Structures are given as C-alpha cells and as structure tokens.
Amino acid sequence: MPQRRDQGTEVVATEAEPRLAPVSVGQEALWFIDQVTPGTSQYLMTFPFRMTGELDVPALENALDRLVARHGALRTTFVERDDQVCQVVHDHVRVPLFVEDVAGGESGVRQRLLREADRGFDLTTGPLFRATLLRCGDREHVLVLATHHIIFDGGSLDIVVDELAEFYADELGAASSKGQAGQYARFAIDERAWLDGEESREELDFWRATLSGAPQLTLPTDRPRSSASSVTGDLAQFTVGEQEFEGVRSLLAQERLTPFMFAHALHHLAVAHLTGLRDIVVGSPVSNRPDGFRDAVGYFVNMMALRVDSSGERTFRDLLRQVRGALLDAYENQRYPYARLVSALATTERGLRPDLFDTVLLVEYEASGEDRWGGLGVTRLETDNSTTKFELGVSVIWGDRGFETDIAFRTALFDRATIASFAEHYRSLALRAIAEPDVELASLLSADAVPFDREEPVRRLVGAGASPASRRDAAVSGGSSSKSPAARRAPRNSREETFARLVAEVLGRESVGIDDDFFELGGHSLLIPRLVSRVRAVLGVDVAIRWVFESPTVAGLVDRLENPVPDSPTRSNGHASSVRTDSRIQVRRLVPASPPDEVVSGGSSSKLSAAGRAPRNSREEILAQLFAEVLDQELVGIDDDFFDLGGHSLLIPRLVSRVRAVLGVDVAIPWLLESPTVAGLVDRLGSPVPDALAPLLPLRAGGDLDPVFFLPPIGGLSWAYARFLPFIPKGRPVYGLQATRLISGADRPGTLRQVAETYLDLITGVSPGSPLSLVGWSLGGVVAQEIAVLAQESGRPVRDLVLLDAVPSVPRVIPADEAVSSEAMEAITDSIRGSVGSEADELTESLFGELLDTATHCFRLLAAHRSRPFDGHTVSFETDETGPLRSRIGITWTDLSSGGVDTHRLTCLHSEVMDMPIVRRTGPAVAGILARPR
C-alpha cells in the first residue's frame, strides 16, 4: 500500500474570489438554454479515466477536496438577483467521491457511463461538479468526473487532471507547492467592464466588417431541417498516416503554419466541394484565457466565426497563406464574446439568428502519456457522444506521425452513407493537396478530381416533396407583420400599460404598442430573462420564457397571465393573432427554423398539422403542455403521437411523474403505450390503472393490420421494446410478452418449449389466426424461434422471424443444486436493466428480486434447450461479441432455417442492443423487414 500523508483539507474561499458576481456572457447564454430546457444533458461534460495499479482511495479523496478548495468555479451555483442572473461562489462545498462496484467488465463500465451521461445538474442548487470511482477490480478503477459546461471547458480539464495528479502524489508524500489560482468570477467581472470599453467596440467593429455580406452556408441534407430536429449525432472518421504526414510537416515549415491553420484550409476545401461555395464561415473554439487566468477553472472558451473567401484563381498554397492571414487577424480579436456577437449581428434581422455557421472545426493534440500519478497508470477513456450541437462538426486529433479526423453529424439531417462519402472525398482532397500544394483550387474541387454528388441530398428532398433547405435564420410566421405606427394600439388597462413600459425599457425604446412583436422590435433570447425578471420584480408575477416565444406581444403575454389554462380551443388577445388559430403557429426557437409549409419527414415537427386539433378543455390543455415540456416541443395537438414526436421509453416515467405532480392523477405506463396522444390519455384517466407487469403488454393496441409480437430477454420485461414503436407503421398493433407472474411459483414451466407454448397461447388470445411476426432479443430470440416452430407444427403461418443477437441453444448440463456462475449472474442483471429500458433504481427491491428469480430459472431452461429446425426465413442481427459463443456451439441459424437467413452485423456489445442509439439504427431495418411483401 502506498504511504499517504495524514492530513485533512478545509474547503474555503480565497480572498481573491468574490462571493457573488455577475455571470459571463457565455454563462448567461447557457443559463438561458437551461431555463428553456431544464435539466438538459446537452451541456453535461463527462470525463472517464482508467486507473491501473494500487490506488489509495483516501488520498484521492483528499486530492479532490484540495482541488475544489482551490477553484471557486467548482463551488459555484446560480441565482437571479435584482433582475440579473448571478453566480454564487460558496465558501464551503463538499464534493464527495462516490465509490461503486461495477461488474460485467467493459460492458458494465460502458453501461454505467451511459447512465452518467444522462444525469443532469440543477444550476441553482449544485454542486455542479461530481466525482465517481468505479471499482472494477483490486487494481482496476475508472474515475468519472462530470460537470456542467457553465463552469468548465476543455482547458479546465487539463488543469483539473494535472492538479489532481499533483495533489494525489503530494498526499502520498511527494513535495508540492502551488500559488493562488485565478478565479473565474473575477474573469466575469473583468469581462463586463471590458465590454463597456473602447477596445471591445473596436473588436465588434472588426467582426461586423469581417462578416458583413457573408453568404449563409446551407449544407445539403438528406432530410429537411425543422425546428424540432433532434441533436442526436453519430461519427465518421478517416486518418492521414505517417507516409503522407511528411509532406504536411514540410508545408507547415515552409509557410509558417500552425496545425490548426493547415486543418482549417483542408476543412474549407471539403465544405466548398460539398456546398459549391467558396466564401465560407466556419466556427472554431478558442481558449480565451487572459493573463492571470491560465491556471483557472471555468467557462472561458469562446467561439470564433472564421471567414475565408477562396474565390478566384488560387492554388492550395495560396489558400494556406490566406487562411494564415485571416486567422492571425481573428486571434487579435478573439476576446469579443460569441453570444454577444450573435446578438449584435441580429439587431437588423427579424428575431435571433441562432448561429453564424453550421459547421465547426476543432484541433486537439495527442496526450503525451506522461506519468504524473506516482506510478499509477491513468488513461482517458473514449465516451460515446450521442449528441452534436452543430449540424456538422469536425475534430482533428493531431499527432507526431499523422492526424485523425472525426466528423460528427446530426442523424436527423444526414444519412451515414452521405457522411461516409463526404469523409472519403475529404480525405481524397487532403491527400492530393498535400502531394500537390501548388495545384489550382478549381482543379482540386472539380467533380472529376473528387467524385461526390453534392446535389444528391437535395434531389432526395425534392423527390420527397420538400423544398430545398432554407436559410437557418428564416422566421416561422403565421402571416402577421409588425404594425405601422398608425395601426399601433395603446394599452387598454393598467396591467398592459405596465407591461408595455417594461418591454420598452428592456428593448431600449420610448414606447411599444400592445400588438408590437418583441422580436421584430429587436428582441432576442439574451433579453428574455431580463424581461421575465423585470416583470417579476414590478408586477410580482412569473412569465414563462416559452410564453415570450409563443405570444411575443404585450397583449399576448397579458392574456397568458390572465387565462393560464383556457377551456376554449384558442387563446384570443383581441386584434392580435391567436396563439392557436391555425396550423401556421408563430414560433421562434433557439434552433434552426423552417418555413411554415415545409414538409417534415418522420413526423417530428413543433407545429400542429393542418388536421391537428387544439385542446378542447382545461384537462387537455394541461396534458398538451406537459407533453410539450417533456418532448421539448413548442406545441402539441391532442392527436399528436408521443412517439412520433420523438418520445421513447426513457421519457415515459418523466411524463407520468409530471402528470401526477400537476394533475394529481396516475397515468399507467401501458396507457401511454396503447394511447400515446393527449386525447387518448384523457379518455383513459377515468379507467382503472392496468398492470405494467402483465404477461401480455399492449405497447400499441390499436390497428387494422397484423400485430407484431416482441419476446422478452432473460430480464423478463418488454418495456424497452417501446423504442421500436416510431419505426413500426401505425396500423400494426404491437405487443410485448413478459415473464412476470407467468414463469414464477410452483407451477412455472419446466422447459423452454413450455415457455414458448404459454406465450403462443397468449398470442392466440389476441390474434387467433393471422400470420405471426415475431421479434426477440437474446433469450427472447431463442423463444421467438421456438414459437415459430410450434406455430408451424399447428398449421399457423409465420410471416417474420427477427432475432436480435440471439444464439442458437444446445443442451448443456447444469446440476440443479449448482449455483449460477457470477459471470452469468452479471449477464442476467444487465439483461434485467436492459429489459426495463431505464436505470435499475426505477425497480423496487421486491420486483427486482422477482425478476432475478424468474431470470435465473429461465437461464437453467435455456441451458437444457435445443433449438429446432424452422421451415422458413430468418433475419438475424448479430454482434461481434457473441461470435465466439456461436463458434463454440457449432450450429447457426442458417443450419436451422430452411428458407435462408439474412444476417446484419451490429457494431455494439450484446448488452447495448436495446440502447437507444443502436435502436435508431436497427429500427428502420426492422421496420423494412416487417413491411416486405410475402
């Protein structure tokens, strides 16, 4: 055991850090986003580190205490005071080191990291920094640091890791001495003062001149943009290796370039070829740490909008020189806050232009691997990043022998095949430019040189009936325009008069009419919290931030206050436009907007459809608001489907909880699966609460077509299969079979064939003679295949048999008195968590015990089962992880399927097959299989 110094650390604030301070401009923007979407995980930062060797946990705890004591940002929360959001630096904050045992090897660690990535922060209560130690073995640990971006950035991570390592070594006896660190709260104060000075005005003038007349970059997408487009992302990658890298080193030396300048030139070429534009603005983060704050933790990072116009007759070498000059000028003006710049450039436009670019470039450098932990091996683990803040983001990891390029993209907009093709031509451009730096750009960008059809995504959109994607800053309008002075209506009562005065005050105007649009008068998102705060201070009432987006006039806001839950289907405000008068709702969002008549594929749209119905009474109004809140939608009609709007099983408990808190009634999970609309739930609220553990669970009961049946994994529950609902046509009922209360007690089935017979009886009860469509994951796949065999034996046709990483079963002997191995028990526990589709802490102890007993029994039944031949066609989705097991068994589904097998490879672990990122990929494939004619 390493020797540790026996000393405690008191966590106190230093004299250099203020207790209460204004927020920085960047923090203000993130605060606003959190107010609009409370608890969002989009700005959660998670950093896992593998620690190999003999770890002294108390020494690590003391090092963590010292780290928190040193940096006020890690002890910060946020509060509204005197019409302003402020940061509060607490004197004493304890950030405990939570220690957890994690079983299941890499799979167990990955599952735990996925759950950590969904744990948000409350900015008002804190702490906004947490540390968890996952104990995988005596000499194997994973340290997980998590924080919110509002107090942290990439540069802060380097500081935290360095100091944590130094403090840990010091706790073990090494000498350590550190001066006082800079404090982020002081930076925020200095930034506010700087913004009032001449230097900031000069920088703003620079950016205005630089970006003036820049064309709006519109990337060609496979699907139309919509205001409800998901931020779910995926990655494509390519590498430039050592052989080509020698030419890169030579160019850097000849042209006095940094790696970022070179990477920016390549990125410019790739985007130019993709879009056909040569005048391009690209976003890029910059550290933005003034002297005195180099060792401080906080949200310093700033975004720069880098514009390069390569029009004309130029070579790649010319482009490198042009990029170098443009970047050097930008670096001289990097201090001006990006959020303030967006606000300044939006003053002449209608509403807020969300971003100045659609594509972002980041260059990182490979870690040196230096040993700083006193003999303890520490390496950072890669995390699955399933969201992306921008439509297309490129990260270049620069090393001594080459560089790797990761292309993150939004799956709601791009197909993987499109981005894979883009990555291929990106690499081709790079290799030719490196080999021939004096090549003409026109030649380099020609279609013959790099074959990539940038018009194909646009053709797909037009072919689907949608117009090409519009400018990102297009306003979604219901047809109303700002009133002329002659038509302006004055306040009609004291409340409207006070409101109008406050709106004018916030907007810096002498007066406003009650029908004047907040955004058309120059309002934007950074001003909304100020207006909300002023209304609260003067009138003593709360205005929801969303109301300003939905009803951006004095008349509309006053009406929202006086009629919070109307019984009528519309919310009228006199001569002003009603909030829900027709399908073209006036909506302004922080994310890209779409034209009001744009066709949105997949059903994900925040606008009511032309046939959509508005709430007819107060209960429907409240439920519609709760749907919108949970789904992050602006408006939800009473017939809009929860799952078509992006809902999934992990959101169901949140909606149930919100309905219980607001309406005081219980909504059963099966109700939402069977009747996933506001109207459907209202009809069910007077019904007895059904059993979510029923052996036959209706995931979607309605429909005129043949149903689909999902068979449970060894965990026993089918809740997680609800994730497939958005991909299965509405006309097909969907049921999940469940092992609960079916495979328990003294009379439970003694063989897996008996389990299949029991399930087939339940299926026949709701679907007596239609052809069967069966889907099953893991054990559920084995049972589904046995049901298919039994059905054929009884003369019933089987239409579809889809197996999700199921392995054929052959008998093996497990003595009745022999305990199930620890490895098998870990797999069973993982399966229970996976079949729930949520965190294990949602299960009661008694239910978990029941499921564990049932799963253990099924495990023994599986060991004694032999999969039989099936006279039909099978579709099998298979992971590489189960490959060795398939080889050991010596029999495949091909051997057991006379009609052949279609095999699809899954690039994930067996335990991840039901994770939402994987289902988003397999769901369309399964839907295609179920839709094939037979």
Side-chain angles (χ1 to χ4, degrees), residues 123-142:
L123 301 187
T124 61
T125 60
L128 304 182
F129 178 69
R130 62 174 173 257
T132 305
L133 187 67
L134 308 180
R135 187 161 45 206
C136 309
D138 292 340
R139 295 175 58 83
E140 190 79 16
H141 298 78
V142 174

mmCIF file of all heavy atoms in Angstrom, residues 123-142:
data_model
loop_
_atom_site.group_PDB
_atom_site.id
_atom_site.type_symbol
_atom_site.label_atom_id
_atom_site.label_comp_id
_atom_site.label_asym_id
_atom_site.label_seq_id
_atom_site.Cartn_x
_atom_site.Cartn_y
_atom_site.Cartn_z
ATOM 1 N N LEU A 123 -28.723 23.945 -11.783
ATOM 2 C CA LEU A 123 -27.783 25.062 -11.699
ATOM 3 C C LEU A 123 -27.996 25.901 -10.455
ATOM 4 O O LEU A 123 -27.087 26.632 -10.049
ATOM 5 C CB LEU A 123 -27.903 25.948 -12.950
ATOM 6 C CG LEU A 123 -27.654 25.273 -14.299
ATOM 7 C CD1 LEU A 123 -27.644 26.314 -15.419
ATOM 8 C CD2 LEU A 123 -26.354 24.489 -14.295
ATOM 9 N N THR A 124 -29.175 25.809 -9.830
ATOM 10 C CA THR A 124 -29.452 26.659 -8.665
ATOM 11 C C THR A 124 -29.034 26.017 -7.347
ATOM 12 O O THR A 124 -28.806 26.732 -6.366
ATOM 13 C CB THR A 124 -30.946 26.998 -8.590
ATOM 14 O OG1 THR A 124 -31.703 25.788 -8.443
ATOM 15 C CG2 THR A 124 -31.394 27.722 -9.851
ATOM 16 N N THR A 125 -28.935 24.700 -7.311
ATOM 17 C CA THR A 125 -28.613 24.033 -6.048
ATOM 18 C C THR A 125 -27.204 23.458 -6.004
ATOM 19 O O THR A 125 -26.566 23.474 -4.964
ATOM 20 C CB THR A 125 -29.623 22.911 -5.756
ATOM 21 O OG1 THR A 125 -29.579 21.954 -6.826
ATOM 22 C CG2 THR A 125 -31.034 23.474 -5.654
ATOM 23 N N GLY A 126 -26.733 22.947 -7.158
ATOM 24 C CA GLY A 126 -25.384 22.402 -7.194
ATOM 25 C C GLY A 126 -25.232 21.178 -6.300
ATOM 26 O O GLY A 126 -26.206 20.661 -5.759
ATOM 27 N N PRO A 127 -23.983 20.720 -6.053
ATOM 28 C CA PRO A 127 -22.790 21.183 -6.751
ATOM 29 C C PRO A 127 -22.829 20.789 -8.232
ATOM 30 O O PRO A 127 -23.509 19.836 -8.602
ATOM 31 C CB PRO A 127 -21.643 20.485 -6.022
ATOM 32 C CG PRO A 127 -22.255 19.316 -5.337
ATOM 33 C CD PRO A 127 -23.683 19.676 -5.053
ATOM 34 N N LEU A 128 -22.100 21.540 -9.041
ATOM 35 C CA LEU A 128 -22.096 21.332 -10.484
ATOM 36 C C LEU A 128 -20.859 20.559 -10.936
ATOM 37 O O LEU A 128 -20.471 20.603 -12.107
ATOM 38 C CB LEU A 128 -22.163 22.681 -11.210
ATOM 39 C CG LEU A 128 -23.350 23.560 -10.819
ATOM 40 C CD1 LEU A 128 -23.361 24.844 -11.626
ATOM 41 C CD2 LEU A 128 -24.669 22.815 -10.978
ATOM 42 N N PHE A 129 -20.268 19.874 -9.992
ATOM 43 C CA PHE A 129 -19.087 19.045 -10.259
ATOM 44 C C PHE A 129 -19.215 17.809 -9.397
ATOM 45 O O PHE A 129 -19.535 17.911 -8.202
ATOM 46 C CB PHE A 129 -17.816 19.827 -9.904
ATOM 47 C CG PHE A 129 -16.530 19.060 -10.097
ATOM 48 C CD1 PHE A 129 -16.078 18.724 -11.356
ATOM 49 C CD2 PHE A 129 -15.759 18.683 -9.000
ATOM 50 C CE1 PHE A 129 -14.885 18.032 -11.529
ATOM 51 C CE2 PHE A 129 -14.571 17.989 -9.155
ATOM 52 C CZ PHE A 129 -14.128 17.663 -10.435
ATOM 53 N N ARG A 130 -19.057 16.634 -9.967
ATOM 54 C CA ARG A 130 -19.142 15.409 -9.174
ATOM 55 C C ARG A 130 -18.075 14.421 -9.619
ATOM 56 O O ARG A 130 -17.584 14.486 -10.752
ATOM 57 C CB ARG A 130 -20.532 14.783 -9.252
ATOM 58 C CG ARG A 130 -20.974 14.340 -10.625
ATOM 59 C CD ARG A 130 -22.316 13.596 -10.561
ATOM 60 N NE ARG A 130 -22.824 13.305 -11.893
ATOM 61 C CZ ARG A 130 -23.800 13.971 -12.492
ATOM 62 N NH1 ARG A 130 -24.402 14.966 -11.859
ATOM 63 N NH2 ARG A 130 -24.179 13.645 -13.721
ATOM 64 N N ALA A 131 -17.738 13.526 -8.723
ATOM 65 C CA ALA A 131 -16.694 12.534 -8.975
ATOM 66 C C ALA A 131 -17.185 11.169 -8.512
ATOM 67 O O ALA A 131 -17.712 11.032 -7.406
ATOM 68 C CB ALA A 131 -15.405 12.909 -8.249
ATOM 69 N N THR A 132 -17.027 10.181 -9.373
ATOM 70 C CA THR A 132 -17.435 8.816 -9.063
ATOM 71 C C THR A 132 -16.278 7.883 -9.383
ATOM 72 O O THR A 132 -15.640 8.013 -10.430
ATOM 73 C CB THR A 132 -18.672 8.412 -9.890
ATOM 74 O OG1 THR A 132 -19.707 9.366 -9.686
ATOM 75 C CG2 THR A 132 -19.165 7.035 -9.483
ATOM 76 N N LEU A 133 -16.005 6.948 -8.488
ATOM 77 C CA LEU A 133 -14.951 5.963 -8.698
ATOM 78 C C LEU A 133 -15.595 4.604 -8.895
ATOM 79 O O LEU A 133 -16.253 4.077 -7.995
ATOM 80 C CB LEU A 133 -13.988 5.930 -7.510
ATOM 81 C CG LEU A 133 -12.750 5.046 -7.684
ATOM 82 C CD1 LEU A 133 -11.834 5.610 -8.770
ATOM 83 C CD2 LEU A 133 -11.980 4.921 -6.364
ATOM 84 N N LEU A 134 -15.449 4.047 -10.082
ATOM 85 C CA LEU A 134 -15.984 2.729 -10.385
ATOM 86 C C LEU A 134 -14.916 1.686 -10.106
ATOM 87 O O LEU A 134 -13.837 1.720 -10.702
ATOM 88 C CB LEU A 134 -16.418 2.656 -11.855
ATOM 89 C CG LEU A 134 -17.365 3.771 -12.339
ATOM 90 C CD1 LEU A 134 -17.694 3.562 -13.813
ATOM 91 C CD2 LEU A 134 -18.618 3.825 -11.494
ATOM 92 N N ARG A 135 -15.204 0.789 -9.195
ATOM 93 C CA ARG A 135 -14.217 -0.229 -8.798
ATOM 94 C C ARG A 135 -14.497 -1.485 -9.608
ATOM 95 O O ARG A 135 -15.483 -2.175 -9.396
ATOM 96 C CB ARG A 135 -14.316 -0.503 -7.301
ATOM 97 C CG ARG A 135 -13.221 -1.412 -6.771
ATOM 98 C CD ARG A 135 -13.082 -1.285 -5.259
ATOM 99 N NE ARG A 135 -14.375 -1.295 -4.596
ATOM 100 C CZ ARG A 135 -14.610 -0.723 -3.419
ATOM 101 N NH1 ARG A 135 -13.654 -0.070 -2.791
ATOM 102 N NH2 ARG A 135 -15.820 -0.792 -2.870
ATOM 103 N N CYS A 136 -13.585 -1.784 -10.549
ATOM 104 C CA CYS A 136 -13.737 -2.942 -11.433
ATOM 105 C C CYS A 136 -12.930 -4.143 -10.955
ATOM 106 O O CYS A 136 -13.130 -5.259 -11.431
ATOM 107 C CB CYS A 136 -13.300 -2.574 -12.847
ATOM 108 S SG CYS A 136 -14.063 -1.069 -13.480
ATOM 109 N N GLY A 137 -11.991 -3.918 -10.071
ATOM 110 C CA GLY A 137 -11.135 -4.967 -9.534
ATOM 111 C C GLY A 137 -10.200 -4.358 -8.504
ATOM 112 O O GLY A 137 -10.210 -3.141 -8.264
ATOM 113 N N ASP A 138 -9.363 -5.189 -7.887
ATOM 114 C CA ASP A 138 -8.455 -4.689 -6.855
ATOM 115 C C ASP A 138 -7.495 -3.649 -7.400
ATOM 116 O O ASP A 138 -7.133 -2.692 -6.702
ATOM 117 C CB ASP A 138 -7.667 -5.856 -6.236
ATOM 118 C CG ASP A 138 -8.564 -6.785 -5.433
ATOM 119 O OD1 ASP A 138 -9.664 -6.342 -5.034
ATOM 120 O OD2 ASP A 138 -8.175 -7.948 -5.226
ATOM 121 N N ARG A 139 -7.065 -3.799 -8.630
ATOM 122 C CA ARG A 139 -6.090 -2.874 -9.218
ATOM 123 C C ARG A 139 -6.633 -2.208 -10.493
ATOM 124 O O ARG A 139 -5.883 -1.737 -11.324
ATOM 125 C CB ARG A 139 -4.788 -3.623 -9.536
ATOM 126 C CG ARG A 139 -4.063 -4.148 -8.307
ATOM 127 C CD ARG A 139 -2.851 -4.995 -8.694
ATOM 128 N NE ARG A 139 -1.906 -4.260 -9.517
ATOM 129 C CZ ARG A 139 -0.970 -3.434 -9.049
ATOM 130 N NH1 ARG A 139 -0.871 -3.232 -7.734
ATOM 131 N NH2 ARG A 139 -0.145 -2.814 -9.865
ATOM 132 N N GLU A 140 -7.940 -2.170 -10.601
ATOM 133 C CA GLU A 140 -8.557 -1.605 -11.802
ATOM 134 C C GLU A 140 -9.740 -0.727 -11.384
ATOM 135 O O GLU A 140 -10.705 -1.205 -10.797
ATOM 136 C CB GLU A 140 -9.040 -2.723 -12.724
ATOM 137 C CG GLU A 140 -9.468 -2.264 -14.084
ATOM 138 C CD GLU A 140 -8.306 -1.998 -15.033
ATOM 139 O OE1 GLU A 140 -7.176 -2.460 -14.737
ATOM 140 O OE2 GLU A 140 -8.522 -1.339 -16.049
ATOM 141 N N HIS A 141 -9.628 0.573 -11.658
ATOM 142 C CA HIS A 141 -10.676 1.532 -11.332
ATOM 143 C C HIS A 141 -10.921 2.451 -12.527
ATOM 144 O O HIS A 141 -10.057 2.613 -13.391
ATOM 145 C CB HIS A 141 -10.297 2.394 -10.123
ATOM 146 C CG HIS A 141 -10.092 1.632 -8.859
ATOM 147 N ND1 HIS A 141 -8.921 0.922 -8.602
ATOM 148 C CD2 HIS A 141 -10.891 1.455 -7.771
ATOM 149 C CE1 HIS A 141 -9.013 0.349 -7.415
ATOM 150 N NE2 HIS A 141 -10.201 0.661 -6.881
ATOM 151 N N VAL A 142 -12.099 3.069 -12.542
ATOM 152 C CA VAL A 142 -12.402 4.121 -13.511
ATOM 153 C C VAL A 142 -12.911 5.333 -12.738
ATOM 154 O O VAL A 142 -13.919 5.238 -12.033
ATOM 155 C CB VAL A 142 -13.451 3.667 -14.552
ATOM 156 C CG1 VAL A 142 -13.843 4.844 -15.462
ATOM 157 C CG2 VAL A 142 -12.923 2.515 -15.385
#
